[in-house]
Amino acid sequence: MDKKALMTKLKHMKLPVMAEQYELQMADPAYGQLSFDERFSELIEMEYASRVNHTIERYIKNAHFYDSSANMEAINYDPERRLDRSQMEELATNNYLEKGLNVIFVGAEVRI
């Protein structure tokens, strides 16, 4: 099967990231050193990661957050806000979910 037909079929099957990564692999001679399994695994990983990221982005968009561009790096830790940076970073890991804990925000205080 020629490369163009393969790319068309991948896109038709809704595997655009896999098609893009396949093109990149074909253009890079370093990929010739990898086994079929390694190359195929990388194609699958890239497609999977793209789908997971797209799902997360869709969830964020559908949640209608006040500020959907907010992120942990943009938090203002001025002393008058009394935010504990290490505690906020711990909350960002979502470990409290695995432990079955609740998080209650009371003003500037956080109680776990």
Side-chain angles (χ1 to χ4, degrees):
M1 178 182 308
D2 70 4
K3 193 160 79 169
K4 187 172 183 174
L6 179 61
M7 300 304 286
T8 302
K9 287 180 181 182
L10 284 170
K11 290 176 182 176
H12 183 64
M13 292 187 303
K14 299 186 184 340
L15 298 169
V17 174
M18 189 178 286
E20 178 185 325
Q21 291 301 314
Y22 177 70
E23 279 186 316
L24 292 174
Q25 282 188 5
M26 295 305 291
D28 188 349
Y31 280 101
Q33 306 296 324
L34 300 177
S35 70
F36 172 79
D37 286 339
E38 291 170 323
R39 289 180 68 174
F40 189 61
S41 176
E42 187 168 321
L43 292 172
I44 298 295
E45 284 295 321
M46 295 301 285
E47 183 70 38
Y48 180 79
S50 172
R51 288 175 184 238
V52 168
N53 289 337
H54 179 73
T55 300
I56 291 169
E57 290 169 10
R58 188 179 75 244
Y59 287 160
I60 289 171
K61 181 181 175 190
N62 291 341
H64 302 291
F65 290 127
Y66 174 74
D67 183 2
S68 62
S69 65
N71 61 63
M72 293 298 294
E73 290 79 30
I75 293 177
N76 178 359
Y77 289 103
D78 286 341
E80 63 269 5
R81 295 193 71 203
R82 296 183 298 160
L83 294 175
D84 182 351
R85 182 184 297 266
S86 63
Q87 191 172 42
M88 294 299 286
E89 289 171 354
E90 174 64 25
L91 288 171
T93 65
N94 295 324
N95 286 337
Y96 62 92
L97 295 172
E98 294 172 4
K99 296 175 184 175
L101 300 174
N102 296 317
V103 177
I104 301 171
F105 291 90
V106 181
E109 259 183 75
V110 177
R111 296 181 189 161
I112 299 177

